[in-house]
């Protein structure tokens, strides 16, 4: 009888750990749902099997760091120690080269969980969610370290550019279907239509409200970037869409009060703002050869979520 209880306890603990790891993937898009995380993992793996492996291992490492470190079980089970690790692992796997790339990517994903815990502590009193800020800061620092450390090699896709010779290229037509599906795919650095469709399915699985907001956020980004004269290549790649999707989900669907009638409008305005902020941050980072990542999403979400402490009806 005792052995049966011990086996049941182990099975329950293992299931809980696996569920938390999948939620670590789903929490990237602010959703706590293991099935959603599993579908997203399939979408990543279809686009790139090695990115799928990195994403899963990174989430497991983030969750494991939380377990070993004695984090609150609720936070671990919600996947809150895993999502920054997932993004960090994927980003480093994409933007670094060399024989140590896997080691650096997985080590970075483990450190991301520690940094997540630290920033959660520092921001606890503000009641403002940390979102993907730990992932952004850690990834930028590791990519910059590659200029001084021989063991960390930067990918040729990231090249510092001189702003004095920068030219805006708005030539060519826009394929809206590419922009639609790449927008949500770029949350996980994917530019693949099938993967984008699967991620939309994953979001709708968690709730129709999440799915509709994701569609609205993507549409807003496409329209705003087009009318502001954004580069057509960047629009089609979804590089203006993913921050808008995350922002409208945060402001209108996740961190809002049921008594706030203006939350949908606030989310729409915030999603619009991500476009010029994405352009500004991308320009600011050109001399360093760094990607904007999800910083526009973090800044726009903090702007509205922070203002609600003073303007609760916003």
């Amino acid at each position: 009888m005792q052995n049966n209880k011990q086996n049941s306890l182990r099975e329950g603990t293992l299931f809980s750990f696996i569920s938390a790891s999948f939620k670590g993937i789903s929490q990237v898009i602010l959703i706590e749902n293991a099935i959603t995380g599993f579908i997203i993992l399939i979408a990543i793996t279809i686009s790139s099997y090695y990115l799928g492996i990195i994403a899963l291992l990174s989430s497991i490492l983030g969750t494991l760091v939380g377990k070993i470190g004695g984090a609150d079980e609720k936070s671990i089970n919600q996947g809150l120690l895993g999502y920054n690790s997932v993004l960090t692992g994927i980003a480093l796997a994409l933007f670094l080269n060399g024989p140590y790339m896997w080691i650096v990517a997985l080590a970075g994903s483990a450190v991301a969980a520690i940094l997540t815990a630290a920033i959660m502590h520092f921001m606890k009193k503000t009641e403002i969610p940390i979102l993907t800020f730990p992932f952004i800061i850690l990834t930028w620092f590791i990519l910059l370290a590659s200029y001084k450390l021989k063991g960390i090699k930067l990918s040729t896709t990231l090249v510092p550019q001189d702003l004095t010779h920068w030219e805006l290229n708005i030539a060519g037509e826009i394929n809206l279907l590419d922009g639609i599906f790449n927008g949500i795919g770029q949350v996980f650095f994917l530019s693949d239509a099938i993967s984008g469709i699967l991620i939309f399915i994953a979001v709708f699985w968690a709730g129709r409200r999440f799915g509709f907001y994701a569609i609205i956020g993507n549409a807003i980004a496409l329209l705003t970037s087009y009318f502001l004269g954004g580069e057509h290549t960047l629009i089609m790649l979804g590089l203006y869409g993913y921050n808008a999707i995350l922002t409208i989900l945060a402001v209108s669907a996740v961190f809002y009060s049921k008594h706030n009638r203006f939350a949908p409008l606030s989310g729409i305005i915030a999603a619009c703002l991500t476009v010029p902020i994405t352009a500004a941050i991308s320009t600011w980072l050109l001399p360093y050869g760094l990607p904007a990542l999800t910083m526009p999403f973090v800044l726009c979400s903090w702007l509205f979520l922070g203002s609600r402490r003073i303007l609760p009806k916003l």
Side-chain angles (χ1 to χ4, degrees), residues 181-194:
F181 295 121
N182 288 340
I184 196 162
Q186 285 290 353
V187 174
F188 296 91
F189 302 95
L190 307 177
S191 54
D192 178 84
I194 295 174

Side-chain angles (χ1 to χ4, degrees), residues 72-303:
D72 175 49
E73 283 294 325
K74 182 179 178 183
S75 297
I76 295 171
N77 293 333
Q78 287 177 329
L80 297 179
L81 274 299
Y83 70 97
N84 278 298
S85 296
V86 171
L87 286 174
T88 303
I90 294 175
L92 294 178
L94 283 172
F95 299 135
L96 293 179
N97 277 332
Y100 305 115
M101 180 271 288
W102 278 75
I103 296 172
V104 175
L106 294 177
S109 67
V111 174
I114 298 171
L115 185 58
T116 296
I119 297 178
M120 283 172 72
H121 171 71
F122 291 133
M123 292 186 63
K124 187 185 295 183
K125 291 183 180 179
T126 67
E127 296 182 8
I128 302 296
I130 67 169
L131 304 175
T132 55
F133 187 66
F135 144 67
I136 298 163
I137 296 301
L138 183 60
T139 302
W140 280 351
F141 270 85
I142 293 175
L143 294 180
L144 286 173
S146 67
Y147 290 101
K148 291 287 186 179
L149 300 174
K150 190 177 180 181
I152 304 175
K153 293 187 178 181
L154 197 64
S155 168
T156 54
T157 57
L158 297 180
V159 181
Q161 298 182 55
D162 187 353
L163 284 174
T164 57
H165 298 97
W166 173 256
E167 292 184 6
L168 184 67
N169 182 7
I170 54 172
E173 297 181 356
I174 294 178
N175 186 327
L176 282 179
L177 283 178
D178 284 344
I180 290 169
F181 295 121
N182 288 340
I184 196 162
Q186 285 290 353
V187 174
F188 296 91
F189 302 95
L190 307 177
S191 54
D192 178 84
I194 295 174
S195 296
I197 292 169
L198 278 174
I199 295 172
F200 266 122
I201 291 170
V203 174
F204 270 100
W205 178 277
R208 284 180 296 176
R209 185 163 55 94
F210 292 115
F212 287 134
Y213 272 124
I215 290 172
I216 292 168
N218 202 31
I220 288 169
L222 284 171
L223 292 172
T224 305
S225 56
Y226 179 76
F227 285 115
L228 288 179
E231 288 189 65
H232 293 181
T233 303
L234 300 184
I235 294 172
M236 286 188 293
L237 285 173
L239 294 177
Y240 283 113
Y242 71 98
N243 278 295
I245 291 169
L246 291 173
T247 300
I248 198 170
L249 284 172
V251 176
S252 298
V254 180
F255 305 106
Y256 79 106
S257 167
K258 291 181 179 179
H259 304 292
N260 189 343
R261 293 177 298 172
F262 297 104
L265 179 60
S266 296
I268 290 171
I269 295 170
C272 288
L273 282 176
T274 63
V275 173
I277 289 177
T278 297
I281 291 175
S282 298
T283 305
W284 170 54
L285 293 173
L286 276 177
Y288 305 99
L290 295 177
L293 302 177
T294 52
M295 184 56 95
F297 149 60
V298 170
L299 292 179
C300 289
S301 297
W302 278 355
L303 173 65

Side-chain angles (χ1 to χ4, degrees), residues 298-314:
V298 170
L299 292 179
C300 289
S301 297
W302 278 355
L303 173 65
F304 280 83
L305 298 179
S307 66
R308 282 178 183 169
R309 302 295 149 196
I310 306 299
L311 307 169
K313 294 183 179 180
L314 185 65

